[in-house]
Amino acid sequence: MGLDLALLAVPKEAENILKKAERKIDTEYSDIIFHLPRAFQDDFQDFGHSDWIEFKNDAQDLVKNYPEGNFDSKFYIDTNRTYGVLDYLIAQRENVGINDSNSFFYDGIKFENCKSGQGFSLIYWDLNVLQKKKKILDSLSFEKLYTFYDFRKMIDEGVYKIEQVNENIEELQNVFIEVKKFLKYAIELKGYVLVLKS
């Protein structure tokens, strides 16, 4: 089953939340991380549960470490279900077989202590991983990538949501451009990117 994927750039102080999630592995705190972008908002529902209240407070403390103490939407990108196609095109361009260990989006540091509601482990990119990914994308143009686009072959290989994306190539190009911008902002933040799958 394929799921949606979003990327969240966080300041290095997010380490505090990750370390706490490791210590509190048998509580709900460690799995709430997938809700981090929403927890930045004042109206985040904590359900009166101690783990959720603690997480909300930690998330709102983290916001203070963003530039000017505010979370900006440029630090978050929803891939609009195009990540499977982009993964495929990048793998074709780099001449590698695609699987979770070398996919552009899933190739990162697995944090087993945090699981999404669907049972997927949190993946994050540190500064080294971020710089490698930026270098790959900076070497590509959408036009170069698109030369590897083969709808029939991609259907046969089970590329996620290819039927939807095939009708909307402009959206695919826009997400490619947005991911390039996002990586630039994430590196400037000098923290991490959390790969959130839900």
Side-chain angles (χ1 to χ4, degrees):
M1 169 172 59
L3 299 170
D4 292 335
L5 181 140
L7 304 174
L8 174 68
V10 292
K12 63 182 180 293
E13 289 81 4
E15 276 182 11
N16 299 330
I17 291 175
L18 293 173
K19 286 178 182 171
K20 189 180 280 191
E22 201 163 21
R23 288 192 311 271
K24 297 175 70 94
I25 192 163
D26 293 326
T27 70
E28 289 188 31
Y29 186 99
S30 64
D31 300 330
I32 306 169
I33 287 180
F34 292 87
H35 300 282
L36 189 56
R38 284 184 277 167
F40 289 154
Q41 301 167 4
D42 291 331
D43 63 351
F44 178 68
Q45 180 57 258
D46 60 32
F47 307 106
H49 188 286
S50 59
D51 286 332
W52 287 73
I53 292 168
E54 184 178 3
F55 183 79
K56 177 180 179 178
N57 291 337
D58 291 344
Q60 293 185 351
D61 281 345
L62 181 61
V63 169
K64 297 171 188 169
N65 296 291
Y66 279 97
E68 299 175 22
N70 292 308
F71 174 69
D72 189 301
S73 62
K74 71 184 181 184
F75 296 117
Y76 178 81
I77 183 169
D78 182 337
T79 60
N80 297 323
R81 300 185 174 194
T82 60
Y83 69 91
V85 176
L86 289 174
D87 256 348
Y88 175 87
L89 296 175
I90 293 168
Q92 293 295 304
R93 173 65 170 83
E94 297 293 301
N95 200 23
V96 295
I98 190 164
N99 59 48
D100 284 357
S101 67
N102 69 4
S103 127
F104 183 83
F105 290 102
Y106 292 142
D107 181 24
I109 301 158
K110 201 175 247 192
F111 194 70
E112 299 281 358
N113 297 324
C114 300
K115 302 271 187 196
S116 72
Q118 299 292 329
F120 292 99
S121 296
L122 179 70
I123 296 171
Y124 69 94
W125 303 339
D126 63 11
L127 206 49
N128 288 334
V129 173
L130 273 168
Q131 288 168 337
K132 287 177 189 169
K133 291 186 182 297
K134 184 176 185 306
K135 187 175 178 182
I136 289 169
L137 286 194
D138 284 349
S139 73
L140 301 173
S141 68
F142 184 77
E143 292 72 23
K144 281 184 192 173
L145 270 189
Y146 196 69
T147 62
F148 296 96
Y149 192 97
D150 181 332
F151 180 64
R152 284 287 148 217
K153 185 176 176 190
M154 292 162 87
I155 283 183
D156 291 345
E157 293 192 28
V159 174
Y160 178 57
K161 296 293 182 184
I162 184 59
E163 295 88 351
Q164 290 178 9
V165 174
N166 191 51
E167 298 298 320
N168 205 345
I169 300 306
E170 189 175 303
E171 176 67 15
L172 182 64
Q173 183 174 18
N174 289 339
V175 172
F176 174 76
I177 292 165
E178 290 303 310
V179 170
K180 283 179 101 164
K181 286 185 201 170
F182 171 82
L183 290 176
K184 174 183 173 289
Y185 297 135
I187 288 171
E188 288 171 0
L189 195 57
K190 295 183 180 154
Y192 302 95
V193 165
L194 305 183
V195 180
L196 305 174
K197 193 171 184 180
S198 60

